[in-house]
Each structure stands twice: as structure tokens, then as C-alpha cells.
Amino acid sequence: MTTLPTAPALRVGLVGYGLAGSVFHAPLISTTPGLALTAVVTANPERRAQALAEHPGVEVVDSIEGLWALNLDLAVVASPNRLHAAHATAALEAGVGVVVDKPLAVSAEEALALTGLAELLGLPLSVFQNRRWDGDFRTVAELVGSGRLGTVHRFESRFERWRPQLKGGWRELGDPAEAGGLLYDLGSHLVDQALTLFGPVAEVYAELDCRRPGAQADDDAFVALRHQNGTRSHLWMSAVTGSLGPRFRVLGSDSAYVCYGLDGQEAALRSGLTPADDGWGVTPASGYGLLGAGEQAVPYPTLPGAYQDYYAGVAEALHGRGPVPVEPRDAVTTLAVLAAARLSAAGRRVVTLP
């Protein structure tokens, strides 16, 4: 029997080796069949040593320009938010497909220009919205899509933490050009999830506050969306919540679903585990949410988390066998909603979207 030759792994360059690069992207890339983490961009000596220790054989370069001679198939942009568009543009102009960590850019206009460039050049561009593959969100999406809840009239979603002291770093800077603060950090996930479930938004109302001493960027935020289909999404993101609310509470005409706690994949990655480890993404029965109404609510099994599916989808797209797992135009829409939220908070009013 003739054995067909195995296609060489697609070569991936990772721009940035901070939290996003080292904890999320590098482990997922290196454990995705058909992808090879080939190079890392960092000028930080400690991060250079970390990358070499964690991924022996990887090439470390000081600047993004050092990537283009390495015959890459994909560049993954995990640099600070203000650099996302510039680094993604450089990769596309070098003829390389791109994944950009959320948010895609600082503004919807910047993201739309980047999307247009990728379309013009015929190169894949995707946004790393890994929270679409959280187990609890996958469960909510299944319940909503199957009609088990009836018509959903209110969707509540929270990313709340208790971090009363500032940590420092660009995410806490107040300059809008940095796209820091929790609205653009955690809000990028929450808004994307709401749009994925319930579609376009007609109205936005938001409250943004700086609660911690010395805070320049919002660390406590609430966003209310009225979707065109009539569903209302209420989204909370906070670093100063001493008593955490439910992760999701979804209220429908026939039933409801509520669950607590965060999907465990981020914690697993931080501890050094990867999707190659046994039990990846599995939520124990003690962490199941409740499905039902009133006293009829019963535990409902949480679907497994599946961050690995994102980069598997990217590999398929690079081979021309399917679309990118997250379309960049979805990110443009998310950024338009985030901009409307900032406008709403500044003017203390509801903002209508076209």
C-alpha cells in the first residue's frame, strides 16, 4: 500500500510573548496538529529566555521585521492593543495570513481598513475570540439555538474579579489610543458573545467607572444592549467585585439557565496544561449550571471547553478548506458597539446604532 506524504506543518510566527502570547497562543499553536511555532518576536531578555525554555528550537527575533525572511504561513499578533493594526498590516503586506488577539484594532474604522486590506490581498485574517469556545458559553449557545429556553428576553453575562490594587502595565493606561480598560479587555469578549447569540444591536447604554485609587482606565463597567430581535443583553465587567454574580443568567419565555464560575481553560493554561492533556476543558458535575424554571431547575451538564478548535479552524482556513473561525467583520461590529458604549457613558445617554 502506498503511503501518501505528510504535508509539512504550517510555520507560525508569534508577535509578543507577554500574557497573551505565552499563556494563550503559544501553547495552543504548539499543540495544534499541522501548525509549528517557528518564531517569537520579543526584545525583552527575560521573555526571550522564557520562550526558548518553553519551546526549544523556536527562533526568537527582536522585531517584527525579523519574521519576514522565515517563510511563514501565519503571523499571530499578541502585542499591546495600540499596535495590533500596525503589526497585522505589516504581516499582510509581507504576504502572510494573520490572527490578531482581541480587539482587532483600537477603533472600528481601523479594523475595517485592516479587513479591507486582507480581502484585497486575498489573505486570511481572523480575531482570537477564544471565549466562543468556553464550555459554559458553548452550553448557553446550545440551549439558545435548540429553543430549550423559548424566546430569550434577557441575557446576563459577567466577568467579575476582586483585584482592588492596580497591577500596572499598558492595560491600565488612560490614553484612548492604548485601548486599555476593562471595556476593551473583557468587554471585547462579552460583547462578541452577545452578538454571536442574538445578532445586531439597535441601542447601547453604558456606565464606565474608575474605582481603584490612581486608576486611569475603567475598571468597573456595565453595558446594556437592545438587540434588533428584541433581546436585551446586560453585561458586567469589573475588577472590584468582592462578591461575584453568576457567569451567565439567561431568561427565556419557557425556561432559564444560570451558571457560576469561569471556564477552566485559562486557569489550566496558566498552570502549564494544554489541550493535549487528559480531561482538557471538562467541567466537573459540581460546576454544572441549572436549567429550568422555579423549583423545577435541575443541573445541566456543561459542554467541554474547546480552545483547541480555534487554531484547528485556522489551519483549515490556511489550507483553503474552510472559512476562518472568527470573521474579522465580526470584530468591526464589536468595536462599533464598544465605541458606542464609551459615547453613552460619556454623555449619560442611550446611543442608537444604524
Side-chain angles (χ1 to χ4, degrees):
M1 183 176 66
T2 302
T3 301
L4 296 176
T6 302
L10 298 165
R11 295 167 61 83
V12 182
L14 175 58
V15 184
Y17 208 70
L19 172 65
S22 65
V23 171
F24 287 95
H25 294 283
L28 296 178
I29 294 165
S30 61
T31 55
T32 298
L35 296 183
L37 182 60
T38 303
V40 169
V41 178
T42 179
N44 182 298
E46 293 180 358
R47 291 178 180 176
R48 168 185 283 270
Q50 179 187 355
L52 291 170
E54 293 173 347
H55 302 279
V58 73
E59 185 162 351
V60 181
V61 297
D62 290 341
S63 68
I64 191 171
E65 289 77 18
L67 292 179
W68 312 139
L70 301 179
N71 193 30
L72 298 178
D73 299 288
L74 178 72
V76 175
V77 176
S79 49
N81 291 350
R82 71 180 185 279
L83 299 174
H84 282 186
H87 284 164
T89 297
L92 291 170
E93 290 178 343
V96 179
V98 188
V99 164
V100 185
D101 202 279
K102 59 78 195 168
L104 176 56
V106 170
S107 68
E109 294 76 15
E110 195 175 58
L112 186 59
L114 191 59
T115 300
L117 178 62
E119 292 172 351
L120 178 66
L121 297 175
L123 292 168
L125 170 66
S126 186
V127 188
F128 186 65
Q129 285 287 4
N130 59 303
R131 294 292 180 174
R132 293 190 188 185
W133 287 268
D134 279 358
D136 47 19
F137 180 72
R138 294 184 68 221
T139 304
V140 169
E142 178 200 53
L143 291 171
V144 171
S146 68
R148 293 282 298 274
L149 305 177
T151 300
V152 175
H153 52 81
R154 190 176 304 279
F155 169 66
E156 299 178 2
S157 178
R158 293 171 172 84
F159 271 0
E160 296 174 326
R161 297 164 174 168
W162 177 239
R163 295 178 178 174
Q165 304 300 321
L166 296 172
K167 297 173 63 177
W170 63 264
R171 288 182 178 84
E172 294 176 352
L173 297 177
D175 184 350
E178 296 284 348
L182 289 190
L183 178 67
Y184 274 73
D185 183 13
L186 303 180
S188 291
H189 288 306
L190 299 189
V191 170
D192 176 76
Q193 289 180 335
L195 292 171
T196 298
L197 290 174
F198 305 111
V201 168
E203 294 177 344
V204 181
Y205 168 77
E207 301 167 1
L208 305 179
D209 293 290
C210 299
R211 302 291 192 187
R212 294 174 292 184
Q216 301 176 32
D218 56 276
D219 55 13
D220 189 26
F222 168 72
V223 178
L225 309 176
R226 182 176 69 81
H227 296 267
Q228 291 180 9
N229 70 355
T231 302
R232 293 188 182 272
S233 291
H234 285 180
L235 315 175
W236 287 264
M237 54 229 75
S238 177
V240 291
T241 300
S243 179
L244 307 183
R247 173 66 185 92
F248 290 114
R249 191 169 75 130
V250 193
L251 307 177
S253 59
D254 297 339
S255 189
Y257 174 77
V258 61
C259 66
Y260 288 80
L262 288 175
D263 175 272
Q265 293 174 98
E266 177 177 349
L269 288 168
R270 286 176 178 268
S271 72
L273 298 176
T274 75
D277 290 295
D278 292 338
W280 177 264
V282 174
T283 297
S286 59
Y288 289 171
L290 296 177
L291 173 66
E295 296 180 357
Q296 305 303 314
V298 296
Y300 187 80
T302 302
L303 290 172
Y307 287 175
Q308 66 274 17
D309 287 358
Y310 177 83
Y311 271 110
V314 169
E316 288 295 289
L318 289 169
H319 283 297
R321 296 194 288 254
V324 292
V326 178
E327 292 289 343
R329 289 188 180 273
D330 291 353
V332 175
T333 304
T334 295
L335 282 162
V337 172
L338 295 177
R342 278 196 167 174
L343 189 62
S344 169
R348 300 183 181 181
R349 63 184 179 88
V350 173
V351 173
T352 301
L353 292 179

